[in-house]
Amino acid sequence: NYTYFMFTQALDLAWWKDYSFQCEPVDFSYTPRALQIARGCWYYFLLKIFDWLDTIFFVLRKKQSHVSFLHVYHHSGMAIITWICVKYLPGGHSTFIGLINTFVHSIIYTYYLLSSIKINMISWKKHITQLQMIQFFIVALHFTQLFWTHCGYPKWTAIFIIPQDVFMLVLFGDFYYNTYQRANSAVKSKMHRK
């Protein structure tokens, strides 16, 4: 799985070793490690383009039920944000988003794989959505640290990323409520009526 590979690369190149969870500047030098991290950011961007193409394939296959505002906004937004990071900040503090995101997507793609070979994974769906919501909370929390630490990473990224993650948390929370909580309430009330 390419996503899992990206996750292990982010750990190996940065987050397991030298990167500070408080505040990490971008290394704009031409050292082999800095170039490797920038290349990893570029590959992550390509991965987000691939995720975005998922939406286009849903439209082409006329699976409109899969194309929600949440789906389109999330995948389009990730592609745009990742491009900005690759272009202007290829490394540093924002790579934490890629670390967490590739971890979550590794679990999602494992779910898809197991479901495709007819292993009943329906109970995982709810927990995957919960994991995605936790991801947005952790990333927003991670970026708040830029307000009180000074390492050279631009603070404007926090002003942009935190509201974005809060909005994603609201969208995923709404999806979670409508898909799992409301559905369970409807089933329970139906059973009580019988």
Side-chain angles (χ1 to χ4, degrees):
N1 177 322
Y2 184 69
T3 306
Y4 179 73
F5 171 75
M6 291 299 300
F7 170 68
T8 57
Q9 284 294 296
L11 282 175
D12 185 49
L13 286 171
W15 291 101
W16 241 206
K17 295 178 180 177
D18 305 322
Y19 271 32
S20 166
F21 282 92
Q22 248 189 332
C23 187
E24 183 62 38
V26 178
D27 182 355
F28 287 106
S29 73
Y30 288 93
T31 63
R33 184 171 172 273
L35 292 174
Q36 209 173 2
I37 289 170
R39 191 175 306 113
C41 291
W42 171 250
Y43 292 149
Y44 180 72
F45 167 67
L46 294 178
L47 190 61
K48 296 298 103 184
I49 294 297
F50 180 74
D51 287 346
W52 181 73
L53 288 174
D54 194 29
T55 307
I56 292 172
F57 293 135
F58 283 147
V59 170
L60 292 175
R61 289 176 21 209
K62 297 183 179 14
K63 291 195 171 198
Q64 302 299 39
S65 63
H66 290 71
V67 183
S68 65
F69 173 76
L70 169 62
H71 187 89
V72 173
Y73 181 83
H74 176 58
H75 288 289
S76 300
M78 284 300 292
I80 292 165
I81 290 168
T82 306
W83 178 82
I84 292 168
C85 286
V86 168
K87 177 95 172 133
Y88 300 105
L89 300 164
H93 202 73
S94 65
T95 59
F96 186 75
I97 296 171
L99 175 75
I100 295 290
N101 188 257
T102 53
F103 171 74
V104 169
H105 276 79
S106 293
I107 292 171
I108 292 170
Y109 293 141
T110 301
Y111 165 79
Y112 290 156
L113 173 69
L114 295 174
S115 295
S116 73
I117 57 175
K118 307 296 185 217
I119 295 175
N120 186 359
M121 302 302 297
I122 197 74
S123 63
W124 272 37
K125 280 182 88 169
K126 176 178 167 179
H127 301 299
I128 287 173
T129 304
Q130 291 169 340
L131 184 62
Q132 288 173 300
M133 290 163 54
I134 290 167
Q135 164 192 228
F136 296 121
F137 176 77
I138 289 171
V139 168
L141 192 63
H142 180 68
F143 270 81
T144 61
Q145 297 176 100
L146 291 177
F147 292 125
W148 61 80
T149 56
H150 305 283
C151 69
Y153 198 86
K155 292 185 187 318
W156 66 262
T157 57
I159 294 166
F160 178 73
I161 293 291
I162 293 168
Q164 170 65 20
D165 275 4
V166 169
F167 185 56
M168 291 307 301
L169 191 55
V170 168
L171 288 177
F172 271 80
D174 183 61
F175 170 79
Y176 182 86
Y177 174 76
N178 288 323
T179 305
Y180 303 110
Q181 300 300 111
R182 186 183 284 176
N184 284 345
S185 297
V187 168
K188 284 178 185 174
S189 78
K190 202 176 201 182
M191 288 174 62
H192 286 300
R193 278 186 252 148
K194 289 182 180 180

Coordinates of all heavy atoms in Angstrom, one line a residue, residues 43-112:
Y43 N 5.3 13.6 -3.4 CA 4.6 12.3 -3.5 C 3.3 12.3 -2.8 O 2.3 11.7 -3.2 CB 5.5 11.1 -3.1 CG 6.7 10.9 -3.9 CD1 7.9 10.3 -3.4 CD2 6.7 11.1 -5.3 CE1 9.0 10.1 -4.2 CE2 7.8 10.9 -6.1 CZ 8.9 10.4 -5.5 OH 10.0 10.1 -6.3
Y44 N 3.3 12.9 -1.6 CA 2.1 13.1 -0.9 C 1.0 13.9 -1.6 O -0.2 13.5 -1.7 CB 2.3 13.7 0.5 CG 1.1 13.9 1.4 CD1 0.5 12.7 1.9 CD2 0.5 15.1 1.6 CE1 -0.7 12.9 2.7 CE2 -0.6 15.3 2.3 CZ -1.2 14.1 2.9 OH -2.3 14.3 3.6
F45 N 1.5 14.9 -2.3 CA 0.6 15.7 -3.1 C 0.0 14.9 -4.2 O -1.2 14.9 -4.5 CB 1.4 16.9 -3.8 CG 0.6 17.6 -4.9 CD1 -0.6 18.3 -4.6 CD2 1.1 17.6 -6.2 CE1 -1.2 18.9 -5.6 CE2 0.4 18.2 -7.2 CZ -0.7 18.9 -6.9
L46 N 0.8 14.0 -4.9 CA 0.3 13.1 -5.9 C -0.7 12.2 -5.4 O -1.7 11.8 -6.0 CB 1.5 12.4 -6.6 CG 2.5 13.2 -7.4 CD1 3.6 12.3 -7.9 CD2 1.8 14.0 -8.5
L47 N -0.5 11.7 -4.1 CA -1.5 10.8 -3.5 C -2.8 11.5 -3.3 O -3.9 11.0 -3.5 CB -0.9 10.4 -2.1 CG -1.6 9.3 -1.4 CD1 -1.6 8.0 -2.2 CD2 -0.9 9.1 0.0
K48 N -2.8 12.8 -2.9 CA -4.0 13.6 -2.7 C -4.7 13.8 -4.1 O -5.9 13.9 -4.1 CB -3.7 14.9 -2.0 CG -3.2 14.8 -0.6 CD -4.1 14.1 0.3 CE -3.8 12.7 0.6 NZ -4.7 11.9 1.4
I49 N -3.9 14.0 -5.1 CA -4.6 14.1 -6.5 C -5.3 12.8 -6.8 O -6.4 12.8 -7.3 CB -3.5 14.4 -7.6 CG1 -2.9 15.8 -7.3 CG2 -4.1 14.3 -9.0 CD1 -3.9 16.9 -7.5
F50 N -4.6 11.7 -6.5 CA -5.2 10.3 -6.7 C -6.5 10.2 -5.9 O -7.5 9.7 -6.4 CB -4.2 9.2 -6.4 CG -4.8 7.9 -6.6 CD1 -4.9 7.3 -7.8 CD2 -5.2 7.1 -5.5 CE1 -5.4 6.0 -8.0 CE2 -5.7 5.8 -5.6 CZ -5.8 5.3 -6.9
D51 N -6.5 10.7 -4.7 CA -7.7 10.6 -3.8 C -8.8 11.5 -4.5 O -10.0 11.1 -4.5 CB -7.5 11.1 -2.4 CG -6.7 10.2 -1.6 OD1 -6.6 9.0 -2.0 OD2 -6.2 10.6 -0.5
W52 N -8.4 12.7 -5.0 CA -9.4 13.6 -5.6 C -10.0 12.9 -6.9 O -11.2 13.1 -7.2 CB -8.7 14.9 -5.9 CG -9.6 15.9 -6.6 CD1 -10.5 16.6 -6.0 CD2 -9.5 16.3 -7.9 NE1 -11.1 17.5 -6.9 CE2 -10.5 17.3 -8.1 CE3 -8.8 15.9 -9.0 CZ2 -10.8 17.9 -9.3 CZ3 -9.0 16.5 -10.3 CH2 -10.0 17.5 -10.4
L53 N -9.2 12.2 -7.6 CA -9.7 11.5 -8.8 C -10.8 10.5 -8.5 O -11.7 10.2 -9.3 CB -8.6 10.8 -9.5 CG -7.6 11.7 -10.3 CD1 -6.4 10.9 -10.8 CD2 -8.3 12.5 -11.4
D54 N -10.8 10.0 -7.2 CA -11.9 9.1 -6.8 C -13.2 9.8 -7.0 O -14.2 9.1 -7.4 CB -11.6 8.9 -5.3 CG -12.4 7.7 -4.7 OD1 -12.7 6.8 -5.5 OD2 -12.7 7.8 -3.5
T55 N -13.4 11.1 -6.7 CA -14.6 11.8 -6.9 C -15.0 11.8 -8.4 O -16.2 11.6 -8.7 CB -14.4 13.3 -6.4 OG1 -14.0 13.2 -5.1 CG2 -15.7 14.0 -6.5
I56 N -14.0 12.1 -9.2 CA -14.3 12.1 -10.7 C -14.8 10.7 -11.2 O -15.7 10.7 -11.9 CB -13.1 12.6 -11.4 CG1 -12.8 14.0 -11.1 CG2 -13.2 12.4 -12.9 CD1 -11.5 14.6 -11.6
F57 N -14.2 9.7 -10.6 CA -14.6 8.3 -11.1 C -16.0 8.0 -10.6 O -16.8 7.4 -11.3 CB -13.7 7.3 -10.6 CG -12.3 7.3 -11.2 CD1 -11.1 7.2 -10.5 CD2 -12.2 7.5 -12.6 CE1 -9.9 7.3 -11.1 CE2 -10.9 7.6 -13.2 CZ -9.8 7.5 -12.4
F58 N -16.4 8.5 -9.4 CA -17.8 8.4 -8.9 C -18.8 9.0 -9.9 O -19.8 8.5 -10.2 CB -18.0 8.9 -7.5 CG -17.4 8.1 -6.4 CD1 -16.9 8.7 -5.3 CD2 -17.5 6.7 -6.5 CE1 -16.4 7.9 -4.2 CE2 -17.0 5.9 -5.4 CZ -16.4 6.6 -4.3
V59 N -18.4 10.2 -10.3 CA -19.3 11.0 -11.2 C -19.4 10.2 -12.6 O -20.5 10.0 -13.1 CB -18.8 12.4 -11.4 CG1 -19.5 13.1 -12.6 CG2 -18.9 13.2 -10.1
L60 N -18.2 9.8 -13.1 CA -18.2 9.1 -14.4 C -19.0 7.8 -14.3 O -19.6 7.4 -15.3 CB -16.8 8.9 -14.8 CG -16.0 10.1 -15.2 CD1 -14.5 9.7 -15.5 CD2 -16.6 10.8 -16.4
R61 N -18.9 7.1 -13.2 CA -19.7 5.8 -13.0 C -21.1 6.0 -12.6 O -21.8 5.1 -12.3 CB -18.9 4.9 -12.1 CG -17.6 4.4 -12.7 CD -16.7 3.6 -11.8 NE -17.3 3.0 -10.7 CZ -16.7 2.7 -9.5 NH1 -15.4 3.0 -9.4 NH2 -17.3 2.1 -8.5
K62 N -21.5 7.3 -12.5 CA -22.9 7.7 -12.1 C -23.3 7.2 -10.7 O -24.4 6.8 -10.5 CB -23.9 7.3 -13.2 CG -23.7 7.9 -14.5 CD -24.7 7.5 -15.5 CE -24.7 8.1 -16.8 NZ -23.7 8.7 -17.5
K63 N -22.3 7.2 -9.8 CA -22.6 6.9 -8.4 C -22.7 8.1 -7.6 O -21.9 8.5 -6.7 CB -21.4 6.0 -7.9 CG -21.4 4.6 -8.5 CD -20.5 3.7 -7.7 CE -20.6 2.3 -8.2 NZ -20.2 1.3 -7.3
Q64 N -23.8 8.9 -7.9 CA -24.0 10.2 -7.3 C -24.2 10.1 -5.8 O -24.0 11.1 -5.1 CB -25.2 10.9 -8.0 CG -25.1 11.1 -9.5 CD -23.9 11.9 -9.9 OE1 -22.8 11.9 -9.3 NE2 -24.1 12.8 -10.9
S65 N -24.7 8.9 -5.3 CA -24.9 8.8 -3.9 C -23.6 8.9 -3.1 O -23.6 9.2 -1.9 CB -25.6 7.5 -3.6 OG -24.7 6.4 -3.9
H66 N -22.4 8.6 -3.8 CA -21.1 8.7 -3.2 C -20.5 10.1 -3.2 O -19.6 10.4 -2.5 CB -20.2 7.8 -3.8 CG -20.4 6.3 -3.6 ND1 -21.5 5.7 -4.1 CD2 -19.8 5.4 -2.8 CE1 -21.5 4.4 -3.8 NE2 -20.5 4.2 -3.0
V67 N -21.1 11.0 -4.0 CA -20.6 12.3 -4.3 C -21.4 13.3 -3.4 O -22.4 13.9 -3.8 CB -20.6 12.7 -5.7 CG1 -20.0 14.1 -6.0 CG2 -19.9 11.7 -6.6
S68 N -20.9 13.6 -2.2 CA -21.5 14.5 -1.3 C -20.6 15.8 -1.2 O -19.5 15.8 -1.7 CB -21.6 13.9 0.1 OG -20.3 13.7 0.6
F69 N -21.2 16.8 -0.6 CA -20.4 18.0 -0.4 C -19.2 17.7 0.4 O -18.1 18.2 0.1 CB -21.3 19.1 0.3 CG -20.5 20.3 0.7 CD1 -20.1 21.2 -0.3 CD2 -20.1 20.5 2.0 CE1 -19.4 22.4 0.1 CE2 -19.3 21.6 2.3 CZ -19.0 22.5 1.4
L70 N -19.3 16.9 1.4 CA -18.2 16.5 2.3 C -17.1 15.9 1.4 O -15.9 16.2 1.5 CB -18.7 15.5 3.4 CG -17.6 14.8 4.2 CD1 -16.7 15.8 4.9 CD2 -18.2 13.8 5.1
H71 N -17.5 14.9 0.6 CA -16.5 14.2 -0.2 C -15.7 15.2 -1.2 O -14.5 15.2 -1.2 CB -17.2 13.1 -1.0 CG -16.3 12.2 -1.8 ND1 -15.8 11.1 -1.2 CD2 -15.8 12.3 -3.0 CE1 -15.0 10.5 -2.1 NE2 -15.0 11.2 -3.2
V72 N -16.5 16.0 -1.9 CA -15.9 16.9 -2.9 C -15.0 17.9 -2.2 O -13.9 18.2 -2.6 CB -17.0 17.6 -3.7 CG1 -16.4 18.7 -4.6 CG2 -17.7 16.5 -4.6
Y73 N -15.6 18.5 -1.1 CA -14.8 19.6 -0.4 C -13.6 19.0 0.2 O -12.5 19.7 0.1 CB -15.7 20.2 0.7 CG -15.1 21.3 1.5 CD1 -15.1 22.6 1.0 CD2 -14.5 21.1 2.7 CE1 -14.4 23.6 1.6 CE2 -13.8 22.1 3.4 CZ -13.8 23.3 2.9 OH -13.2 24.3 3.5
H74 N -13.7 17.9 0.9 CA -12.5 17.3 1.5 C -11.4 17.0 0.5 O -10.2 17.4 0.7 CB -12.9 16.1 2.3 CG -11.8 15.3 2.9 ND1 -10.9 15.9 3.9 CD2 -11.3 14.1 2.8 CE1 -10.0 15.1 4.3 NE2 -10.2 13.9 3.6
H75 N -11.7 16.3 -0.5 CA -10.7 15.9 -1.5 C -10.1 17.1 -2.3 O -8.9 17.1 -2.5 CB -11.2 14.8 -2.4 CG -11.3 13.5 -1.7 ND1 -10.2 12.7 -1.3 CD2 -12.4 12.8 -1.3 CE1 -10.6 11.6 -0.6 NE2 -12.0 11.6 -0.6
S76 N -11.0 18.0 -2.6 CA -10.5 19.2 -3.4 C -9.6 20.0 -2.4 O -8.6 20.5 -2.8 CB -11.7 20.0 -3.9 OG -12.5 19.3 -4.7
G77 N -10.1 20.2 -1.2 CA -9.3 21.0 -0.3 C -8.0 20.4 0.1 O -7.0 21.2 0.1
M78 N -7.9 19.1 0.2 CA -6.6 18.5 0.5 C -5.7 18.6 -0.6 O -4.5 18.9 -0.4 CB -6.8 17.0 0.8 CG -7.4 16.7 2.2 SD -6.4 17.3 3.6 CE -4.9 16.2 3.4
A79 N -6.2 18.5 -1.9 CA -5.3 18.7 -3.0 C -4.7 20.1 -3.1 O -3.5 20.3 -3.3 CB -6.0 18.4 -4.3
I80 N -5.6 21.1 -2.8 CA -5.2 22.5 -2.9 C -4.2 22.8 -1.7 O -3.1 23.4 -2.0 CB -6.4 23.5 -2.8 CG1 -7.2 23.3 -4.1 CG2 -6.0 24.9 -2.6 CD1 -8.6 23.9 -4.0
I81 N -4.5 22.4 -0.5 CA -3.6 22.7 0.6 C -2.3 22.0 0.4 O -1.2 22.6 0.7 CB -4.3 22.2 1.9 CG1 -5.5 23.2 2.3 CG2 -3.3 22.2 3.1 CD1 -6.4 22.6 3.4
T82 N -2.3 20.8 -0.1 CA -1.1 20.1 -0.3 C -0.2 20.7 -1.3 O 1.0 20.8 -1.2 CB -1.3 18.6 -0.6 OG1 -2.2 18.0 0.4 CG2 -0.1 17.8 -0.7
W83 N -0.8 21.2 -2.4 CA -0.1 21.9 -3.4 C 0.6 23.2 -2.8 O 1.8 23.4 -3.1 CB -1.0 22.3 -4.6 CG -0.2 23.1 -5.6 CD1 0.6 22.6 -6.6 CD2 -0.1 24.5 -5.8 NE1 1.1 23.6 -7.4 CE2 0.7 24.8 -6.8 CE3 -0.7 25.6 -5.1 CZ2 1.0 26.1 -7.2 CZ3 -0.4 26.8 -5.5 CH2 0.5 27.1 -6.5
I84 N -0.1 23.9 -2.0 CA 0.4 25.1 -1.4 C 1.6 24.8 -0.6 O 2.7 25.4 -0.6 CB -0.6 25.9 -0.6 CG1 -1.7 26.5 -1.5 CG2 0.0 26.9 0.3 CD1 -2.9 27.0 -0.8
C85 N 1.5 23.7 0.2 CA 2.6 23.2 1.1 C 3.8 22.8 0.3 O 4.9 23.1 0.6 CB 2.1 22.1 2.0 SG 1.1 22.8 3.4
V86 N 3.6 22.1 -0.8 CA 4.7 21.6 -1.7 C 5.4 22.8 -2.3 O 6.6 22.8 -2.4 CB 4.2 20.6 -2.7 CG1 5.2 20.3 -3.8 CG2 3.8 19.3 -2.1
K87 N 4.6 23.7 -2.8 CA 5.2 24.9 -3.5 C 5.9 25.8 -2.5 O 7.0 26.3 -2.9 CB 4.0 25.7 -4.1 CG 4.4 26.9 -4.8 CD 4.7 26.7 -6.3 CE 4.9 28.0 -7.0 NZ 6.0 27.9 -7.9
Y88 N 5.4 26.1 -1.4 CA 6.0 27.1 -0.5 C 6.6 26.6 0.8 O 7.5 27.2 1.3 CB 4.9 28.2 -0.2 CG 4.4 28.8 -1.4 CD1 3.1 28.5 -1.8 CD2 5.2 29.8 -2.1 CE1 2.6 29.2 -3.0 CE2 4.7 30.4 -3.2 CZ 3.4 30.1 -3.7 OH 2.9 30.7 -4.8
L89 N 6.2 25.4 1.3 CA 6.6 24.9 2.6 C 6.9 23.4 2.5 O 6.2 22.7 3.2 CB 5.6 25.3 3.7 CG 5.4 26.7 3.9 CD1 4.1 26.9 4.7 CD2 6.6 27.4 4.6
P90 N 7.8 23.0 1.7 CA 8.0 21.5 1.5 C 8.7 20.8 2.6 O 9.9 20.5 2.5 CB 8.7 21.4 0.2 CG 9.6 22.7 0.2 CD 8.7 23.7 0.8
G91 N 8.1 20.7 3.8 CA 8.7 20.1 4.9 C 8.2 20.8 6.2 O 7.3 21.7 6.1
G92 N 8.8 20.5 7.3 CA 8.5 21.2 8.5 C 7.2 20.8 9.2 O 6.7 19.7 9.0
H93 N 6.6 21.8 9.9 CA 5.5 21.6 10.8 C 4.3 21.0 10.0 O 3.6 20.1 10.6 CB 5.1 22.9 11.4 CG 4.3 22.8 12.6 ND1 4.9 22.4 13.8 CD2 3.0 23.0 12.9 CE1 4.0 22.4 14.8 NE2 2.8 22.8 14.2
S94 N 4.0 21.4 8.8 CA 2.8 20.9 8.1 C 2.9 19.4 7.7 O 1.9 18.8 7.4 CB 2.5 21.8 6.9 OG 3.6 21.7 5.9
T95 N 4.1 18.9 7.7 CA 4.2 17.5 7.3 C 3.5 16.5 8.3 O 3.2 15.4 8.0 CB 5.7 17.0 7.1 OG1 6.4 17.2 8.3 CG2 6.3 17.8 6.0
F96 N 3.2 17.1 9.5 CA 2.5 16.3 10.5 C 1.1 15.9 9.9 O 0.6 14.9 10.2 CB 2.3 17.1 11.8 CG 1.7 16.3 12.9 CD1 2.4 15.3 13.6 CD2 0.4 16.6 13.3 CE1 1.9 14.6 14.6 CE2 -0.2 15.9 14.3 CZ 0.5 14.9 15.0
I97 N 0.5 16.8 9.1 CA -0.8 16.5 8.5 C -0.7 15.3 7.7 O -1.5 14.4 7.7 CB -1.3 17.7 7.6 CG1 -1.5 19.0 8.5 CG2 -2.5 17.3 6.8 CD1 -1.8 20.2 7.7
G98 N 0.4 15.2 6.8 CA 0.6 14.0 6.0 C 0.9 12.8 6.8 O 0.4 11.7 6.5
L99 N 1.6 12.9 7.9 CA 1.9 11.8 8.8 C 0.6 11.2 9.3 O 0.3 10.0 9.2 CB 2.8 12.2 10.0 CG 3.0 11.1 11.0 CD1 4.0 10.1 10.5 CD2 3.5 11.7 12.3
I100 N -0.3 12.0 9.9 CA -1.5 11.6 10.5 C -2.5 11.1 9.4 O -3.1 10.0 9.5 CB -2.2 12.7 11.3 CG1 -1.4 13.1 12.5 CG2 -3.6 12.4 11.7 CD1 -1.3 12.1 13.6
N101 N -2.5 11.8 8.3 CA -3.5 11.5 7.2 C -3.1 10.2 6.5 O -4.0 9.4 6.2 CB -3.5 12.6 6.2 CG -4.5 12.5 5.1 OD1 -4.2 12.1 4.0 ND2 -5.8 12.7 5.5
T102 N -1.8 9.9 6.3 CA -1.5 8.6 5.7 C -1.7 7.5 6.6 O -2.1 6.4 6.2 CB 0.0 8.6 5.2 OG1 0.9 9.0 6.3 CG2 0.2 9.5 4.0
F103 N -1.6 7.7 7.9 CA -1.9 6.7 8.9 C -3.4 6.3 8.8 O -3.8 5.1 8.7 CB -1.6 7.1 10.3 CG -2.1 6.2 11.4 CD1 -1.5 4.9 11.6 CD2 -3.2 6.5 12.2 CE1 -2.0 4.1 12.6 CE2 -3.7 5.7 13.2 CZ -3.1 4.4 13.3
V104 N -4.2 7.3 8.8 CA -5.7 7.1 8.8 C -6.1 6.5 7.4 O -6.9 5.5 7.4 CB -6.4 8.5 9.0 CG1 -7.9 8.4 8.6 CG2 -6.3 9.0 10.4
H105 N -5.5 7.0 6.3 CA -5.8 6.4 5.0 C -5.3 4.9 4.9 O -5.9 4.1 4.2 CB -5.3 7.3 3.9 CG -6.3 8.4 3.6 ND1 -6.4 9.5 4.4 CD2 -7.2 8.5 2.6 CE1 -7.3 10.3 3.9 NE2 -7.9 9.7 2.8
S106 N -4.2 4.6 5.6 CA -3.8 3.2 5.6 C -4.9 2.3 6.2 O -5.1 1.2 5.6 CB -2.5 3.0 6.4 OG -1.4 3.7 5.7
I107 N -5.5 2.8 7.2 CA -6.6 2.0 7.8 C -7.8 2.0 6.9 O -8.4 0.9 6.7 CB -6.9 2.6 9.2 CG1 -5.7 2.3 10.2 CG2 -8.2 2.0 9.8 CD1 -5.8 3.0 11.5
I108 N -8.1 3.1 6.3 CA -9.3 3.1 5.4 C -9.0 2.2 4.2 O -9.9 1.4 3.8 CB -9.5 4.6 4.9 CG1 -10.0 5.5 6.0 CG2 -10.5 4.6 3.7 CD1 -10.0 7.0 5.6
Y109 N -7.8 2.2 3.6 CA -7.6 1.3 2.5 C -7.5 -0.2 2.9 O -7.9 -1.0 2.1 CB -6.3 1.7 1.7 CG -6.5 3.1 1.1 CD1 -5.5 4.0 1.1 CD2 -7.7 3.5 0.5 CE1 -5.6 5.2 0.5 CE2 -7.8 4.7 -0.1 CZ -6.8 5.6 -0.1 OH -6.9 6.8 -0.7
T110 N -7.1 -0.4 4.1 CA -7.2 -1.8 4.6 C -8.6 -2.2 4.7 O -9.0 -3.4 4.4 CB -6.5 -1.9 6.0 OG1 -5.1 -1.5 5.8 CG2 -6.6 -3.3 6.5
Y111 N -9.5 -1.3 5.2 CA -10.9 -1.6 5.3 C -11.5 -1.9 3.9 O -12.2 -2.9 3.7 CB -11.7 -0.4 5.9 CG -13.1 -0.4 5.7 CD1 -14.0 -1.2 6.4 CD2 -13.7 0.4 4.7 CE1 -15.3 -1.2 6.2 CE2 -15.1 0.3 4.4 CZ -15.9 -0.5 5.2 OH -17.2 -0.5 5.0
Y112 N -11.1 -1.1 2.9 CA -11.6 -1.3 1.5 C -11.1 -2.7 1.0 O -11.9 -3.4 0.3 CB -11.1 -0.2 0.6 CG -11.7 1.1 0.7 CD1 -11.1 2.3 0.3 CD2 -13.0 1.3 1.3 CE1 -11.7 3.5 0.5 CE2 -13.6 2.5 1.5 CZ -12.9 3.6 1.1 OH -13.5 4.9 1.2

